[in-house]
């Protein structure tokens, strides 16, 4: 019963994933439609176990999708997928698609 926004980003669009030839999966962020607070994060991706901690910390501090989108993520890395999914949820667009 909660109105939400969704943003996802395919792993195959990441330079690091292409270089590693491991391009299967996606990162998806769900945020409240009104407040933009992150409600949940789905990751089916290489290194998901390493990436999820960013989402867990953000949710613990009731961060918004925009908060994650504004964080500087190094390039080329898998963590860029988290930023891209946050951009897709916030602005309805990712940079690298």
């Amino acid at each position: 019963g909660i109105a939400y926004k969704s943003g996802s980003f395919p792993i195959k669009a990441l330079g690091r994933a292409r270089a590693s030839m491991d391009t299967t999966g996606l990162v998806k962020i769900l945020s409240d439609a009104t407040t933009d607070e992150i409600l949940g994060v789905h990751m089916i991706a290489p290194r998901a176990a390493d990436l999820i901690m960013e989402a867990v910390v953000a949710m613990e501090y009731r961060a918004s999708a925009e908060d994650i989108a504004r964080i500087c993520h190094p390039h080329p890395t898998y963590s860029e997928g988290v930023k891209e999914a946050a951009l897709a949820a916030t602005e309805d667009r990712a940079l690298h698609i």
Side-chain angles (χ1 to χ4, degrees):
I2 297 173
Y4 66 91
K5 301 181 293 182
S6 175
S8 64
F9 188 77
I11 294 300
K12 68 182 176 185
L14 294 172
R16 179 66 178 118
R18 289 178 182 218
S20 299
M21 299 176 69
D22 200 359
T23 58
T24 304
L26 62 89
V27 176
K28 180 168 67 171
I29 294 180
L30 303 175
S31 64
D32 186 279
T34 305
T35 66
D36 197 36
E37 180 180 341
I38 298 169
L39 302 173
V41 178
H42 302 193
M43 292 182 185
I44 302 170
R47 316 256 172 101
D50 299 330
L51 301 175
I52 197 68
M53 61 80 191
E54 179 177 5
V56 171
V57 170
M59 291 175 70
E60 182 66 26
Y61 286 96
R62 303 186 75 175
S64 66
E66 183 179 357
D67 291 333
I68 288 181
R70 289 176 175 257
I71 296 170
C72 181
H73 290 74
H75 172 79
T77 63
Y78 286 98
S79 69
E80 287 179 286
V82 178
K83 177 188 182 86
E84 296 281 1
L87 280 169
T90 302
E91 301 176 9
D92 199 28
R93 70 172 182 87
L95 291 176
H96 294 97
I97 291 185

